[in-house]
Amino acid sequence: MAILVLGGAGYIGSHTVYELIERGEDVIIVDNLETGHIEAVHEKAKFYKGDIRDRAFIDSVFEKEEVEAVIHFAANSLVGESMINPLKYYDNNLCGTKVLLESMVAHHIDKIVFSSTAATYGEPKSIPILETDATDPTNTYGETKLSMEKMFKWTSKAHDLRYVSLRYFNACGAHKSGVIGEAHAPETHLIPLILQVPNGQREAISIFGEDYETKDGTCVRDYIHVTDLAQAHILAVDYLRKGNESNIFNLGNGVGFTVKEVIDVAREVTGHPIPAKAEPRRAGDPAKLIASSEKAKEVLGWNPEYTSLEEIISSAWRWHQNHPNGFKQA
Ligand code: UFG
């Protein structure tokens, strides 16, 4: 029996596939390659190019393959884009998941682990954020992920299907092999953008807002290594294999860093002065997001390995130095 990874050519999906294969699992990848990269597909995984909104396609995969569980990363995930083009997010994230669930129910596939996000919480009322805290997204992306969680919840009540939803905080870093890493076009995330400066691709990093109520006025985030996220997916599959009930877990390091602190660590790691310039706030950015991941540690036995930001940024730096243009040839 195999694990089907939807979006397995993307950033977090490809890192999860590498960990699954290292562990000896059979892996099948489905990706439409809209934002994923064929170069990120592990050579030992079976690959189908296709879209989860295509019912005939997804049915054909379940008919040809013996799928034990699904890990679902296939979604659009840019907050800014989701505000400009909300219906794209409803279509891919929500309608895609509806088609997927219909096909899973029809084929009696009863386990799914799913990428959710800290964006489901919106502006938090208290820190660290617990899974039981209120969810009130401030952007379409977070809203569609929350709606996907609800779709799983109600489907699991009506059908023989259990799910684990993993709410990631700020995913970053790259695989230890140096073969895969973060490659978004356009890039919007802080760490890869900072590293474009020492890589000679950008003059300076912009700091979006210095007037937040935080220790140095810049936004605080909880940065978590992509390999630690990948491990949590494997633990979540094991959790469902043992017959446990559907559940939701936060995934973060539980430590917050300001934008200025992240830039300082990148200066140390790269030995480059990395000039920074103040810019206005970016719309929709909460001041502070820090996870409580105690539940994932207790229930799943998750134990993040990359707890130092220096180590996380070093792994990202190795990848970006060797792949300044992502997966494209230099
Ligand atoms: N930032 C800058 N300059 C930049 C880019 C980012 O100052 O050039 C700041 C942002 O304003 C934010 C922090 O750096 O305060 C982190 O920004 P990212 O874009 O790297 O990440 P976000 O926190 O915005 O987004 C992440 C995930 C989303 C998720 C969101 C939850 O990438 O998928 O957390 O709020 F939705």
Side-chain angles (χ1 to χ4, degrees), residues 264-284:
D264 278 340
V265 175
R267 287 177 178 137
E268 276 167 39
V269 166
T270 62
H272 188 283
I274 311 184
K277 56 174 195 258
E279 302 265 358
R281 289 183 179 199
R282 191 172 68 176

Side-chain angles (χ1 to χ4, degrees), residues 25-84:
E25 302 277 1
D26 280 339
V27 178
I28 298 157
I29 295 175
V30 160
D31 200 301
N32 65 6
L33 299 181
E34 183 193 309
T35 54
H37 305 274
I38 190 70
E39 299 86 348
V41 170
H42 196 293
E43 57 181 17
K44 290 192 179 147
K46 191 161 180 185
F47 176 64
Y48 290 92
K49 182 172 185 285
D51 195 298
I52 60 165
R53 287 164 287 193
D54 180 347
R55 176 71 195 264
F57 164 71
I58 204 77
D59 278 348
S60 74
V61 175
F62 285 131
E63 273 146 34
K64 275 185 249 169
E65 304 290 346
E66 279 208 58
V67 175
E68 181 195 3
V70 174
I71 308 183
H72 178 22
F73 298 97
N76 291 110
S77 63
L78 298 178
V79 171
E81 183 190 52
S82 79
M83 299 302 281
I84 295 164

Side-chain angles (χ1 to χ4, degrees), residues 202-268:
R202 175 178 294 272
E203 290 292 314
I205 183 70
S206 299
I207 297 177
F208 297 146
E210 291 188 318
D211 57 349
Y212 287 96
E213 277 188 30
T214 58
K215 62 179 168 184
D216 62 18
T218 66
C219 286
V220 171
R221 294 288 181 273
D222 182 339
Y223 294 89
I224 179 77
H225 196 278
V226 62
T227 299
D228 285 326
L229 291 181
Q231 291 298 347
H233 291 78
I234 297 177
L235 293 168
V237 170
D238 286 345
Y239 168 90
L240 291 174
R241 275 175 173 155
K242 286 179 201 146
N244 290 302
E245 61 183 17
S246 297
N247 221 328
I248 297 177
F249 300 96
N250 286 341
L251 298 178
N253 262 317
V255 184
F257 290 93
T258 66
V259 172
K260 285 186 176 169
E261 286 171 335
V262 176
I263 298 170
D264 278 340
V265 175
R267 287 177 178 137
E268 276 167 39

Side-chain angles (χ1 to χ4, degrees), residues 161-176:
L161 181 139
R162 288 168 300 123
Y163 68 94
V164 167
S165 172
L166 299 174
R167 292 178 176 164
Y168 318 146
F169 282 63
N170 287 61
C172 49
H175 194 258
K176 58 178 187 257

